[in-house]
Amino acid sequence: MQGIKAIEFKDDKLFLIDQRKLPVLFETFICESYQDVEFAIRDMVVRGAPAIGATAAYGVVLAAKEFKNQNKENFLENMGKACDDLNQARPTAVNLMWAIKRMKSIIELNKNLDVIEIHQMLEKEADIILAEDIEINKLMAKHGNEIVPQNATILTHCNTGALATAGYGTALGVIREAHYSGKDIFVYADETRPRLQGGRLTAWELKQENIPSKLIADSVAATLIRDKNIDLILVGADRIALNGDTANKIGTFMLSVVAKVYGVPFYVVAPTSTIDFDIETGEEINIEERSSEEVTHIRGNRVAPENVEVFNPAFDVTPNENITGIITEKGIVRAPFRENILKIK
Ligand code: MRU
């Protein structure tokens, strides 16, 4: 079906598809240290909430490899620092913090073992996180496919596919499932300025598998929705608050507003690891702001005047009242969100 492996760990090295270069170049970025991993997440060699989480888990493994000849006390101290550094690589996708927390709990649970054994336990846990993510995506895809009508035209934003996860994808996983179950779907992919994850990555994934699709500039979406050309909108998430407010790629909120005006179902597809059970509303989500060059330049070419001031938030928050449902591996959550999100904790 699909063999894109964005993340692979072997021989004490982490191999990432370099997503900064797709689709023009298909290159592998090799991480040999946790600092390499931190850079890869920060610079978006790897991106997408679940992919960032799994990658960070292997960052912890690489840190353990680096420190495994130290005594226990120094090892534990340095591991704490490495986890903190990795945790800060990007601020919005909670899967990063979720994965680091899970890896730290392995260290805590096994702190009486020798350092070599802790290193082995950490590698095992990172492998589990990666393998589980694919299974979770397939479950979400099955639940999500239930709400996809025959012959549906689906609009999606950013990249939520195999590249953004351990494999298969979240929103794009539902799209894959609908396609392979024979529903004769058609997909419009927003190009997703400024980083063009839709144009560079989603369009590439859709093409790889011959899923019928068209790429559109972000500003085309409202016209398509108004003209009744869209049956369903599927997007991913970077962090979901207890009340269902959802942070996702910048532009998602705008889509949700238009969808609400024209009565088009708007679904978020995300694993429960993307739910931040510690925050009540989207107001508590830290929205990453990225460099002005992402807006002033395209592929290294200036497209705006020199020294222009730029506002470049990477994500926005869609309020729960604009969301028809949240498709998770445990089923589809609908309003009242707080009550129903707590049921799947
Ligand atoms: O900045 P990015 O490319 O990491 O943002 C990715 C998104 O916003 C995705 O929609 C989200 O992480 C869900 S991916 C399965």
Side-chain angles (χ1 to χ4, degrees):
M1 186 175 296
Q2 57 95 32
I4 301 166
K5 266 193 189 169
I7 305 163
E8 202 171 3
F9 193 76
K10 54 178 193 241
D11 305 329
D12 284 334
K13 293 188 185 78
L14 182 65
F15 297 80
L16 301 169
I17 296 177
D18 192 338
Q19 300 189 35
R20 299 168 304 179
K21 302 192 172 158
L22 283 172
V24 180
L25 298 172
F26 189 96
E27 285 181 5
T28 303
F29 183 93
I30 303 172
C31 301
E32 301 197 40
S33 67
Y34 82 87
Q35 290 91 344
D36 290 345
V37 172
E38 189 203 341
F39 170 82
I41 295 172
R42 197 182 295 283
D43 209 51
M44 295 176 69
V45 171
V46 61
R47 30 66 50 204
I52 291 172
T55 300
Y58 284 112
V60 178
V61 177
L62 289 174
K65 183 194 78 170
E66 184 179 332
F67 302 133
K68 75 180 176 192
N69 296 323
Q70 300 181 345
N71 66 39
K72 179 79 71 66
E73 198 187 329
N74 288 349
F75 173 82
L76 292 176
E77 192 186 322
N78 284 321
M79 287 304 289
K81 187 184 167 305
C83 286
D84 289 349
D85 288 353
L86 287 162
N87 221 29
Q88 285 159 22
R90 287 188 78 189
T92 304
V94 76
N95 304 63
L96 170 61
M97 297 81 194
W98 169 88
I100 296 291
K101 197 170 160 193
R102 195 161 148 173
M103 297 301 277
K104 275 171 118 173
S105 74
I106 294 295
I107 299 175
E108 183 58 32
L109 275 171
N110 297 289
K111 66 176 182 229
N112 294 328
L113 298 181
D114 70 43
V115 166
I116 307 281
E117 284 170 312
I118 300 175
H119 173 228
Q120 286 164 353
M121 303 296 284
L122 287 170
E123 184 168 339
K124 215 177 190 180
E125 188 68 7
D127 289 344
I128 293 171
I129 289 176
L130 193 71
E132 267 179 9
D133 187 54
I134 302 180
E135 292 314 309
I136 285 170
N137 291 341
K138 295 213 165 137
L139 281 172
M140 288 191 294
K142 289 236 160 11
H143 294 308
N145 194 22
E146 284 166 25
I147 55 95
V148 178
Q150 279 289 346
N151 306 110
T153 301
I154 302 169
L155 176 64
T156 191
H157 192 66
C158 195
N159 172 266
T160 60
L163 291 166
T165 61
Y168 213 65
T170 59
L172 206 54
V174 175
I175 288 170
R176 282 199 160 93
E177 191 74 15
H179 171 74
Y180 289 113
S181 68
K183 281 193 174 161
D184 217 3
I185 57 160
F186 189 89
V187 182
Y188 282 102
D190 282 347
E191 69 172 351
T192 319
R193 275 282 287 151
R195 295 285 301 213
L196 301 172
Q197 289 93 330
R200 296 188 302 105
L201 309 176
T202 302
W204 181 75
E205 286 198 41
L206 290 166
K207 272 296 220 198
Q208 294 271 314
E209 291 172 50
N210 292 319
I211 300 176
S213 58
K214 275 186 190 168
L215 175 63
I216 54 169
D218 299 326
S219 38
V220 176
T223 304
L224 282 175
I225 294 169
R226 183 202 59 198
D227 294 348
K228 310 218 176 319
N229 286 316
I230 304 294
D231 300 302
L232 177 65
I233 298 174
L234 294 172
V235 297
D238 288 86
R239 192 184 293 231
I240 301 172
L242 257 191
N243 73 342
D245 289 352
T246 295
N248 190 47
K249 181 51 53 197
I250 191 75
T252 305
F253 166 52
M254 192 161 68
L255 275 186
S256 79
V257 172
V258 183
K260 196 172 184 191
V261 168
Y262 292 100
V264 174
F266 182 96
Y267 283 89
V268 170
V269 190
T272 47
S273 54
T274 303
I275 302 174
D276 187 343
F277 293 95
D278 294 333
I279 59 166
E280 284 291 330
T281 76
E283 276 178 33
E284 293 169 72
I285 300 175
N286 183 358
I287 299 291
E288 176 183 16
E289 277 187 43
R290 295 190 62 88
S291 77
S292 55
E293 280 72 32
E294 288 189 350
V295 180
T296 57
H297 289 68
I298 295 181
R299 301 249 126 175
N301 296 314
R302 175 181 294 286
V303 292
E306 246 174 277
N307 300 325
V308 68
E309 282 190 38
V310 169
F311 174 48
N312 183 24
F315 302 95
D316 57 27
V317 176
T318 297
N320 60 10
E321 66 265 22
N322 290 5
I323 299 171
T324 313
I326 302 173
I327 300 165
T328 75
E329 74 275 22
K330 296 186 181 170
I332 304 179
V333 179
R334 296 173 193 276
F337 283 108
R338 193 177 192 285
E339 197 179 312
N340 291 331
I341 284 177
L342 280 172
K343 281 189 195 149
I344 58 160
K345 190 169 177 183

